Amino acid sequence: MQSLSEIETTSKRASKAAGFPWGVAEEVGKNMRNLEMFGLSGVKNLNLYLKKIKKNPSEKPKKIEKRNKPHSKEFCPIYCGTAFLDCCRKLENLKLIKFFNVSYPLLLLPFLSRASDIIGKKIAVKYEKNNFLLNFDKTIFSNNINNDKTIIKAKEISIEFLENNNSFSTKEWQELYRLSEETFVKETESLKKKGAGAGLTDND
């Protein structure tokens, strides 16, 4: 079994050999490490995509807006990802962003995961009946993902920035806090004397 370090290094070199600049190739290496660590088939998707673009390169996005459609057949997931990561703080204001016709969409996912960490918000991603919740680049929660089925092109990718809200009600928090108060130590005269500041006895 290959180590995560081997996966990162080989993916980086392969991406450079396929025509990506070293800076972008390094990002791809980190991304493949993350995908494989989260149990997603990054190496498989990258291998297929790099072989594909040798014959038919995908399109780079010029600018990311609320709705993004390629002028040619499909977008490059790697260049979409680097563009998204570079301006994710500004894109956060758009709330919901859509990409259409993205090649090998799984390769876009780790860029979005890292953007989640930068802006400090969870990001929800949907495409081809797959749902992902990206948690500050710490975990990727997925629903209905099948690693044996590689999605060659996503017709539509929906990316939503989620507000940071509690998963519990105010009442539930208050009840829990009241229970925690039972561990508080009541202040006594003895504790007051041992508190901060000069004591009654000078040891110097």
Side-chain angles (χ1 to χ4, degrees):
M1 180 176 179
Q2 274 64 45
S3 68
L4 292 176
S5 179
E6 288 177 306
I7 289 171
E8 179 175 345
T9 300
T10 301
S11 298
K12 175 177 68 175
R13 290 175 176 173
S15 298
K16 173 60 179 174
F20 289 99
W22 270 121
V24 175
E26 287 176 358
E27 297 298 318
V28 173
K30 295 174 187 175
N31 289 349
M32 294 310 103
R33 181 189 186 104
N34 283 356
L35 284 176
E36 294 295 334
M37 182 175 64
F38 294 142
L40 299 171
S41 55
V43 169
K44 179 179 180 180
N45 278 262
L46 180 64
N47 185 44
L48 291 170
Y49 181 64
L50 294 184
K51 287 194 292 185
K52 175 184 177 179
I53 61 174
K54 278 195 171 183
K55 299 178 180 178
N56 186 22
S58 301
E59 183 180 330
K60 299 180 187 179
K62 293 181 179 179
K63 181 182 178 182
I64 297 181
E65 300 174 338
K66 284 187 71 72
R67 295 172 63 86
N68 303 274
K69 292 184 178 181
H71 295 292
S72 57
K73 291 184 178 180
E74 56 199 40
F75 274 132
C76 168
I78 294 171
Y79 279 121
C80 283
T82 54
F84 191 99
L85 196 60
D86 286 343
C87 56
C88 60
R89 293 188 185 278
K90 293 181 180 179
L91 295 177
E92 177 189 354
N93 297 324
L94 298 179
K95 306 295 184 183
L96 179 65
I97 296 172
K98 291 190 176 184
F99 284 93
F100 298 90
N101 298 327
V102 179
S103 188
Y104 290 87
L106 189 72
L107 301 179
L108 172 63
L109 211 60
F111 287 104
L112 305 180
S113 180
R114 290 162 63 190
S116 169
D117 186 46
I118 292 172
I119 64 173
K121 287 185 178 181
K122 295 179 180 179
I123 295 178
V125 182
K126 299 179 183 179
Y127 64 81
E128 307 297 323
K129 297 182 180 180
N130 293 313
N131 299 320
F132 300 90
L133 181 62
L134 314 180
N135 301 277
F136 317 113
D137 205 27
K138 299 296 187 294
T139 61
I140 296 178
F141 176 78
S142 59
N143 182 35
N144 297 329
I145 186 66
N146 182 358
N147 278 334
D148 294 329
K149 182 181 178 182
T150 300
I151 297 177
I152 297 174
K153 183 170 69 173
K155 293 181 180 178
E156 180 179 324
I157 299 178
S158 173
I159 303 167
E160 183 179 4
F161 296 91
L162 304 179
E163 294 301 323
N164 292 326
N165 296 316
N166 293 325
S167 63
F168 46 84
S169 67
T170 301
K171 181 183 177 182
E172 289 168 335
W173 175 253
Q174 290 173 343
E175 290 174 347
L176 186 65
Y177 188 82
R178 281 196 295 270
L179 182 60
S180 75
E181 288 181 318
E182 295 181 11
T183 65
F184 294 177
V185 178
K186 292 183 179 179
E187 191 174 44
T188 64
E189 287 301 318
S190 176
L191 288 173
K192 288 179 181 178
K193 291 177 182 179
K194 293 178 182 179
L200 297 177
T201 305
D202 192 348
N203 293 323
D204 291 340

